[in-house]
Structure formats: structure tokens, C-alpha cells
Amino acid sequence: MILQLKKDLLEKNSKDIYRKYLLGQKVWYFSNYFGDENHSFKYDELKYLISEKLDVHFNNVAIVGSAKTGISFNPGKKYKLFDESSDFDIIIVSPKHFNKFWTAYVEMFYRGIPMTEYGEVSKFIFKKFISLKNPTQKYPEIVSWLKTVEPLVKDLQMLFGVEQQVNYRIYDSWESVENYHYFGIGLLKNKVLKHHKREQKITQILSSIINYKNGNNK
């Protein structure tokens, strides 16, 4: 799996890698982690459940991250394979929800409410998504969201066997989803390319040494 990903990172552009690994109905978590033959049906059922509970369109729900691909695309995680300690990442594309929570954070800021997640939220909003992971519960919309997703997490555990921590990222558009992943894949491509060039250089040096020694032995 890792070798194929590295090969694709060297040969394909970010858009093609995004399409191959992050789009489509195949979810590694269902097809490989659980070995479910009806993995596409399982994915649809999960999306239907989330879309109904969170009031978003079915097509605006998706699993991403290592649960989707089986391997982390985060350059800092060194191709970490999905396991019990991994997060189960779900994206929600909803301008309505994004703007609602953006407004919540803006109002809490101007009301002088201390927010431990302020720096992280600011960085995420700049990229046009919000991740409500351990949020400050000082705004009605955020409290309401938590009351909705907490029982939903239990449903995901019971109905789909999801025992990992569930993270939601709420994007304002699919374009923002694509931009985020294109950028991340680009970073990973650069890292792989640098490593590949370094390996090629070492190979050339070793070949030159071997050829030199062979020439002296003649």
C-alpha cells in the first residue's frame, strides 16, 4: 500500500491522487478493516444516517483521512496505517453550518469569552472549515451541535462498529475541501520527491565507487 502510494505521488498530479484515493465509494475502513463485502452499501447507510441527523444533503457527507484510504496522508505521520488509535474523520459540506459556527466564534470573541481553541479555530477558518473538537461551550449553536453529535457517535459505534474518535470538519464548499487536500497532497509529493532524489544521488555515488574499484582491479 505504501509503495503504491509513493509511486503515485511521484507519477501523478495532486488532483489525480485526490480522485483516486479520496473520492468514490470504496472506504478502506469498511472494505479492509472489517472486510465487509457490502462496503459501498455500508458507506451509503452511514452517509444517510449523518445527513438525516445533521440536516445536510447525502452527497455533502464523506469519510476522509486514513479511515478512507487506510494510510495517513499527513506528511508528519510518516505513512501511519489506520489502527485503533486513529481518528475517524468525517467531512460535512454545508455553508449554512459553516457560517453558523463562524458567527458563533466571532460573537464569542467580541464578548471576550476565553477560548482555548482560538488559535486552531482561526487557522481552520482561514482554510474555510471548522472542526468542533472540544469546543468552548458558551454559545447556543455549539451546545446544540454537541447535543446532536454525541448520540450520533453512539449510533456510529453500534451500527457501524466505529470505535475510534469521530471528528467532524465542516466546510463551506467542496472547492474548499479540494483545495485543502490538494495542498496537503502537494506537501507529501514534495517530501517523496526529495527523498527519491536523495536515493538516486546515493545510488549514483555507490555506482561510481563500484565502477571505480572495478576499473582498478582490471
Side-chain angles (χ1 to χ4, degrees):
M1 184 191 303
I2 295 176
L3 291 177
Q4 182 59 55
L5 175 58
K6 287 183 176 181
K7 184 174 184 295
D8 286 339
L9 287 166
L10 289 171
E11 298 176 356
K12 299 178 182 293
N13 60 43
S14 296
K15 189 173 184 178
D16 288 339
I17 292 172
Y18 172 78
R19 287 177 175 175
K20 176 177 179 178
Y21 287 90
L22 294 172
L23 295 183
Q25 285 297 97
K26 185 175 181 180
V27 175
W28 185 91
Y29 183 83
F30 294 133
S31 63
N32 293 72
Y33 192 70
F34 276 117
D36 197 320
E37 294 182 0
N38 297 318
H39 55 86
S40 294
F41 174 78
K42 203 88 168 181
Y43 188 25
D44 281 345
E45 289 297 300
L46 181 141
K47 290 170 65 175
Y48 278 123
L49 173 66
I50 294 174
S51 67
E52 182 179 328
K53 296 291 185 179
L54 300 185
D55 188 28
V56 293
H57 193 280
F58 169 83
N59 290 328
N60 287 336
V61 178
I63 295 173
V64 292
S66 57
K68 178 70 169 72
T69 63
I71 185 171
S72 176
F73 278 35
N74 186 327
K77 291 189 176 181
K78 299 179 180 179
Y79 307 103
K80 180 181 180 295
L81 300 177
F82 185 90
D83 59 21
E84 292 81 2
S85 66
S86 301
D87 290 339
F88 193 89
D89 297 320
I90 297 173
I91 62 170
I92 307 294
V93 179
S94 170
K96 177 182 69 176
H97 286 326
F98 176 81
N99 289 323
K100 177 173 62 179
F101 295 124
W102 185 4
T103 299
Y105 274 109
V106 169
E107 291 193 11
M108 285 194 293
F109 172 79
Y110 283 118
R111 285 163 54 189
I113 296 175
M115 295 178 283
T116 57
E117 74 274 26
Y118 174 75
E120 189 173 64
V121 169
S122 300
K123 180 176 65 176
F124 290 162
I125 286 179
F126 179 77
K127 299 172 183 176
K128 294 190 176 181
F129 73 85
I130 293 177
S131 177
L132 294 173
K133 190 174 181 179
N134 300 318
T136 298
Q137 299 183 43
K138 296 291 184 179
Y139 197 86
E141 296 291 359
I142 292 178
V143 173
S144 176
W145 169 266
L146 293 178
K147 287 182 178 179
T148 301
V149 297
E150 285 175 0
L152 181 54
V153 168
K154 294 179 181 178
D155 289 338
L156 295 178
Q157 290 174 344
M158 293 181 61
L159 300 175
F160 302 98
V162 179
E163 297 181 351
Q164 289 76 11
Q165 179 171 328
V166 178
N167 291 328
Y168 294 92
R169 282 189 173 182
I170 304 159
Y171 286 83
D172 75 323
S173 68
W174 277 106
E175 182 180 12
S176 296
V177 175
E178 292 171 354
N179 288 338
Y180 176 83
H181 285 98
Y182 290 165
F183 181 76
I185 292 170
L187 293 178
L188 194 56
K189 280 175 62 65
N190 289 338
K191 187 173 183 178
V192 172
L193 183 59
K194 286 180 181 178
H195 184 72
H196 180 67
K197 287 181 177 179
R198 192 183 308 121
E199 287 183 337
Q200 285 184 321
K201 189 172 183 179
I202 292 173
T203 300
Q204 289 173 354
I205 292 172
L206 291 175
S207 296
S208 297
I209 293 172
I210 292 171
N211 290 334
Y212 177 77
K213 288 184 175 180
N214 289 339
N216 284 343
N217 290 333
K218 290 180 180 179

